Amino acid sequence: MAYQIPRGTADVFQEKSYSWQALEERLRQFCYLYNYDEIRTPIFEHTNVFKRENDSSDMVNKEMYTFTLPNSSTSLTLRPEGTAGTVRSFVENKMYANPDLPVKLYYMGPMFRHERPQKGRMRIFNQFGIECLGNKSPYTDVESIVLAFSILKSLGLKDIKVCLNTLGDDASRNAYREALKDYFKPYLEDLCSDCKRRYQQNPLRILDCKVDHDKEYMKHAPSMKDYLNEESKKYFDTVCQLLETLDIPYEVDDRLVRGLDYYSHTVF
């Protein structure tokens, strides 16, 4: 019997491991410069950390590695992303009581998703991310964008452009969700099965459908910018003005919602 690596995974050794170490060290240097501290969360968490009520994402509905402990009803899931575990730790360890908010954290390490392996997409993949918790500010948002932009530029990538959008505050986003439900209601029977589920759970996800994206009615769906209240407009205008001041090239993309719909305000 031949022993082979599972599909969707990879070995990292010799020269490749040196490249990984160099990249990880560069990421740590940038985080040190921007005053982010490292957090290391468990590779598995209780399933409800990731599977929140009414979550419409494909990651939660199709791609998680979930298992139940023997002789127990405890459900655990290998982490598919880093944000949820970081927020769980922020709450559980009462970091919100830190007098010096925001709490700025970074993580890097293996994540797990059961999806079809293809070039650039593995079932075990390594992810780097930052979280800035406890403060709502356009200045904080821009700092995150500049950090990401600076890291990519330092790696020698050229012609980098930031795709930018806003989801507004809770009131703006709720108004937009209702507008999308009203708009897509006449087309409900024509939507794919996933979008019928998204219609009930989170209609923002319909805008990212890979099955229905070429249909004519998708091109004329309402835009988030038409449902922003004054506070949200001012917030986003400040983000754009700061990026212009810092000479960060950006483009506003009204359809930029995928996987970002649980955030508030700026997405990029």
Side-chain angles (χ1 to χ4, degrees), residues 28-241:
R28 287 192 171 92
Q29 288 174 354
F30 270 98
C31 288
Y32 176 78
L33 182 64
Y34 282 75
N35 198 30
Y36 279 79
D37 295 319
E38 184 176 17
I39 183 169
R40 303 190 186 197
T41 59
I43 282 183
F44 58 85
E45 300 260 7
H46 289 285
T47 299
N48 62 6
V49 170
F50 306 109
K51 192 170 185 177
R52 294 168 295 278
E53 184 180 356
N54 214 28
D55 195 318
S56 63
S57 69
D58 286 347
M59 179 194 77
V60 166
N61 286 280
K62 298 179 180 180
E63 298 169 2
M64 297 201 310
Y65 284 95
T66 296
F67 57 97
T68 303
L69 294 179
N71 304 315
S72 170
S73 60
T74 301
S75 178
L76 300 173
T77 295
L78 296 176
R79 64 184 184 196
E81 49 90 9
T83 296
T86 301
V87 173
R88 187 269 312 149
S89 180
F90 175 80
V91 174
E92 184 174 355
N93 292 293
K94 297 182 173 59
M95 297 185 212
Y96 51 78
N98 189 324
D100 189 21
L101 293 175
V103 174
K104 299 166 69 172
L105 303 168
Y106 78 89
Y107 55 82
M108 63 177 77
M111 312 287 171
F112 307 81
R113 296 191 187 188
H114 188 276
E115 53 186 339
R116 186 171 64 86
Q118 52 190 288
K119 186 176 181 181
R121 181 172 293 181
M122 305 290 280
R123 287 175 172 166
I124 300 179
F125 58 96
N126 281 265
Q127 187 178 82
F128 162 77
I130 62 170
E131 307 291 342
C132 187
L133 304 167
N135 181 46
K136 181 182 74 172
S137 166
Y139 295 91
T140 300
D141 294 357
V142 170
E143 182 187 70
S144 300
I145 294 171
V146 173
L147 173 56
F149 185 88
S150 300
I151 288 171
L152 294 175
K153 198 170 182 180
S154 79
L155 296 173
L157 278 70
K158 302 183 185 301
D159 301 322
I160 306 169
K161 178 179 64 179
V162 177
C163 289
L164 192 69
N165 195 16
T166 178
L167 292 173
D169 58 11
D170 288 345
S172 299
R173 194 164 59 256
N174 289 336
Y176 184 46
R177 283 176 176 155
E178 290 305 311
L180 287 174
K181 291 189 78 168
D182 289 343
Y183 176 79
F184 283 115
K185 188 174 183 179
Y187 308 108
L188 193 54
E189 289 306 311
D190 189 50
L191 294 174
C192 71
S193 57
D194 279 336
C195 280
K196 289 175 181 176
R197 168 175 52 80
R198 292 166 184 152
Y199 178 86
Q200 297 297 334
Q201 292 181 315
N202 192 344
L204 272 77
R205 298 273 179 164
I206 298 175
L207 300 176
D208 189 52
C209 180
K210 296 178 178 61
V211 177
D212 296 328
H213 70 280
D214 285 331
K215 292 180 178 177
E216 191 64 27
Y217 56 79
M218 295 291 285
K219 302 173 185 177
H220 302 290
S223 175
M224 179 74 232
K225 63 185 179 185
D226 296 325
Y227 295 88
L228 296 175
N229 56 29
E230 287 305 312
E231 179 188 351
S232 296
K233 288 178 183 177
K234 184 177 180 180
Y235 190 108
F236 190 55
D237 286 344
T238 301
V239 169
C240 294
Q241 290 165 11

